[in-house]
Amino acid sequence: MTRQRSEWPAGCFVGFRRTSNNYTMKKLILLIFLGAAFVAAQTNADSFSFTTGSPDGRMATASRPESAGKFEIESADDFILTNPINVTSATFTGLLPTGFDLSTIGQVQVEIYRVFPKDSDVGRTTGPPTFSTIQVPTRVNSPSDVAFDSRNSLPAGGLSFTTALLNASFTALNSIQPGGIHAQPLQTTGGNGSVTGEEVQFNITFTNPFELPADHYFFVPQVELPGPADNFLWLSAPGPLLFTGDLQAWTRDANLDPDWLRVGTDIVGGGTAAPKFNESFSLAGTVPDSASTALLLGSALGALFYLKRRIRA
């Protein structure tokens, strides 16, 4: 006959209770340790930020994706990463036509280029020291022929954006507008003159972050506007030199592709007195600390193995 628990001699379950309590305590310790390791791994990444500052009103350069009746124009400014970075957000500031309805903005695209000669056909240039082509006087320190990576606001494009009207009327003293980019020997036009419009900041979230190795890059934002004469003009910022290695802004259109021209030196002109420009943008993200994360997770796994052995014992 099976005895009820109350019929067993006193003290028979003392060992059972001790073993059960030990198991529960060890399991709790393990869960706490693993949870702490997971949280530490998630937060053990330094933040990254970069900015060229607010617009200085000296220059505004067109930058737009190709769309119906409009050829592509790209304007570029550089930044340097000394560590691998996951770029999760960005801002850039430019002009839209006065009174433009921000809700009608079309596609927004962000491209990342490396510095020539990477991702480029060096064989089509004259080689050192100028690396000139039939279209441009030099490719030294220009963006590469093709983009390293890109995101856009189309479905599954990896980018979302909002806008903020900073100023209903803002004037840039000079501009490079559609039709204002020409191959040499006609590249130096002085620019297309002053332009006034709405000063608008674009706030970008990369739903698919850029995972960039340490390197020297160019940032290229493009904005599609619906009207046949409507264009986004990226506003310049102070510099260069803003930081060691800072390069001046470059631009090209579909007719000049794959070459680039310097906004100041080549298009505005002026020889050694030619102006140089940065563009107004910022970047933010994280610096993954893979070594520390691996150590934390490795320690957690080691603890798991040890505690399992103790529990079984």
Side-chain angles (χ1 to χ4, degrees):
M1 183 177 72
T2 304
R3 293 187 180 183
Q4 300 298 318
R5 179 171 174 173
S6 59
E7 299 176 14
W8 287 89
C12 286
F13 287 89
V14 173
F16 170 80
R17 292 192 187 99
R18 184 180 297 120
T19 301
S20 178
N21 289 341
N22 287 347
Y23 176 84
T24 301
M25 181 59 69
K26 290 174 181 177
K27 186 176 181 180
L28 178 61
I29 292 171
L30 174 62
L31 290 174
I32 293 172
F33 190 88
L34 288 175
F38 177 78
V39 170
Q42 294 295 307
T43 60
N44 195 44
D46 294 330
S47 62
F48 161 81
S49 63
F50 169 84
T51 183
T52 58
S54 300
D56 61 7
R58 294 188 299 146
M59 174 59 70
T61 57
S63 199
R64 67 189 189 190
E66 181 181 6
S67 59
K70 294 181 177 181
F71 54 84
E72 184 178 25
I73 305 173
E74 298 167 283
S75 290
D77 195 18
D78 69 309
F79 63 99
I80 295 176
L81 300 181
T82 57
N83 296 291
I85 298 292
N86 294 335
V87 180
T88 55
S89 63
T91 69
F92 58 89
T93 304
L95 294 182
L96 300 183
T98 300
F100 185 84
D101 182 356
L102 299 181
S103 68
T104 65
I105 293 170
Q107 177 190 172
V108 172
Q109 179 164 280
V110 170
E111 300 174 313
I112 301 294
Y113 283 78
R114 297 195 290 181
V115 178
F116 179 90
K118 294 179 178 178
D119 309 318
S120 302
D121 180 6
V122 180
R124 56 181 297 277
T125 75
T126 60
T130 63
F131 294 92
S132 62
T133 73
I134 193 173
Q135 298 191 109
V136 298
T138 185
R139 288 296 304 277
V140 175
N141 290 330
S142 81
S144 55
D145 288 4
V146 297
F148 178 73
D149 205 352
S150 65
R151 303 285 186 270
N152 62 61
S153 60
L154 298 176
L159 179 160
S160 63
F161 73 94
T162 61
T163 56
L165 178 62
L166 302 183
N167 196 327
S169 181
F170 185 95
T171 298
L173 299 178
N174 203 351
S175 63
I176 299 175
Q177 301 186 41
I181 299 172
H182 305 280
Q184 66 176 352
L186 304 176
Q187 76 274 15
T188 304
T189 66
N192 298 120
S194 66
V195 61
T196 298
E198 296 179 349
E199 182 188 11
V200 176
Q201 178 175 288
F202 287 76
N203 305 301
I204 307 298
T205 297
F206 297 114
T207 54
N208 179 17
F210 285 107
E211 297 180 0
L212 301 179
D215 208 338
H216 198 161
Y217 296 95
F218 280 91
F219 178 82
V220 178
Q222 297 175 295
V223 178
E224 177 189 8
L225 302 183
D230 293 340
N231 290 285
F232 166 76
L233 303 177
W234 196 10
L235 287 167
S236 64
L241 294 166
L242 182 64
F243 54 88
T244 301
D246 189 11
L247 304 175
Q248 62 179 303
W250 295 69
T251 190
R252 72 179 181 187
D253 62 17
N255 298 313
L256 195 69
D257 189 354
D259 293 322
W260 297 79
L261 287 168
R262 294 165 289 187
V263 172
T265 302
D266 296 328
I267 297 179
V268 176
T272 57
K276 296 179 181 179
F277 305 95
N278 280 331
E279 305 280 10
S280 183
F281 74 103
S282 70
L283 302 171
T286 58
V287 184
D289 190 347
S290 57
S292 295
T293 299
L295 179 60
L296 285 167
L297 295 179
S299 299
L301 290 174
L304 174 62
F305 177 76
Y306 172 76
L307 289 175
K308 277 187 174 182
R309 287 177 62 90
R310 291 297 301 270
I311 290 170
R312 288 172 183 169

